[in-house]
Amino acid sequence: MAKIVGGLTTSHVPAIGGAIAKGLQDQPYWKPFFDGFKPAQEWLEQVKPDVAVVFYNDHGLNFFLDKMPTFSIGAAAEYRNADEGWGIPTLPPFQGEVDLSWHLIEHLVEKEFDITTCQEMLVDHAFTIPLKLFWPKHIPVTTVPICINTVQFPMPSAKRCMALGQAVAEAIQSWDSDKKVVVLGTGGLSHQLDGERAGHINKPFDLKFMDSLVSDPAWATQFSIHELVEKTGTQGVELVMWLAARAAVGGPVRTVASNYHIPISNTAAGMMALEAVA
Ligand code: DHB
Ligand code: FE
């Protein structure tokens, strides 16, 4: 059976893609952010996962406001990147892990999650930038994208996203394969890009949330989506991706790397690498 090796979480600010393209990693603005990934990159070089299951939110590239699935999963052999308006260079296509996609889809529907199956899927900055951050030279993993709507109300609760992650863990653990799987969650942490509270950041909440992923993963499920927006900003609610990814690791975890840096763009940029220790 497949093995879950751990979880990786990060913010996915588009400007990071511009900084990578221009080679700005060692400039004073960017260095504290990019340096945070080094221990995670070293851990990945040792553990060598084969597949990445990526929880992220599409920002209007693949789904627009007229058709907005709550949960959707890619089942394609290849995922092409396109520019959804930020002007960052696009990356070459990402390879799918079709067998795991269908295994996940069958398991999730069996467990009464009403998901949208996508045999074609474009991927945006929230999928591409995190993969590039964790594997800066060459991306060696095949992928399964899982989108959670955090763009348009109504949105699934943190509790529901955690349950989705738990069902994904069961599915990976029952996948008939000897491959090693790592789970990614991208988005957050606290940020608000528009409106009266543009620039809103809540450092105490973010740090407590990061801590809870190791010691008490269900902590954030006490909050409704509206409470999360109030605490973390309209886009801060993307942190449900971290919760789903943590739940999809399954059992207890050990922290390999953790970094929190303010700000990148208007956003509190966090990252964690968590190794499964069960
Ligand atoms: C920014 C953050 C995001 O999560 C995003 O999807 C787009 C932009 C930002 O901080 O600039
Ligand atoms: Fe975002």
Side-chain angles (χ1 to χ4, degrees), residues 11-16 57-59 84 86 124-126 151 186-193 235-236 238 264-268:
S11 312
H12 60 220
V13 177
I16 300 163
N57 57 298
D58 180 86
H59 297 73
E84 78 273 22
W86 297 100
D124 75 4
H125 69 274
V151 170
T186 95
L189 288 172
S190 56
H191 65 301
Q192 173 146 345
L193 300 178
Q235 284 81 29
E238 291 176 346
I264 291 294
S265 176
N266 271 336
T267 299

Side-chain angles (χ1 to χ4, degrees), residues 94-244:
F94 296 80
Q95 297 311 303
E97 184 68 46
V98 179
D99 191 47
L100 178 57
S101 286
W102 285 110
H103 180 70
L104 278 162
I105 290 161
E106 280 171 20
H107 184 85
L108 290 173
V109 172
E110 173 75 26
K111 292 288 165 178
E112 300 176 353
F113 285 90
D114 304 317
I115 49 169
T116 300
T117 299
C118 304
Q119 296 190 55
E120 285 183 359
M121 197 170 190
L122 291 173
V123 290
D124 75 4
H125 69 274
F127 179 91
T128 62
I129 288 175
L131 289 168
K132 199 74 188 150
L133 283 167
F134 286 110
W135 290 278
K137 292 190 193 110
H138 161 70
I139 295 166
V141 284
T142 55
T143 58
V144 178
I146 304 183
C147 288
I148 300 177
N149 165 36
T150 54
V151 170
Q152 178 170 248
F153 279 94
M155 297 171 190
S157 67
K159 185 165 164 251
R160 186 71 177 149
C161 295
M162 181 150 196
L164 176 76
Q166 285 163 341
V168 166
E170 291 166 8
I172 300 171
Q173 281 154 358
S174 63
W175 181 37
D176 186 9
S177 165
D178 56 8
K179 291 189 175 167
K180 289 185 270 187
V181 181
V182 70
V183 187
L184 270 74
T186 95
L189 288 172
S190 56
H191 65 301
Q192 173 146 345
L193 300 178
D194 42 24
E196 281 174 19
R197 291 201 311 163
H200 174 78
I201 282 177
N202 185 346
K203 181 173 177 180
F205 182 94
D206 289 339
L207 293 180
K208 171 75 193 150
F209 174 64
M210 288 173 75
D211 188 53
S212 77
L213 289 187
V214 181
S215 56
D216 178 17
W219 176 78
T221 63
Q222 69 184 290
F223 303 112
S224 70
I225 279 293
H226 287 89
E227 284 169 334
L228 286 175
V229 168
E230 193 178 10
K231 287 179 191 307
T232 69
T234 42
Q235 284 81 29
V237 75
E238 291 176 346
L239 60 75
V240 294
M241 258 46 86
W242 292 42
L243 200 57

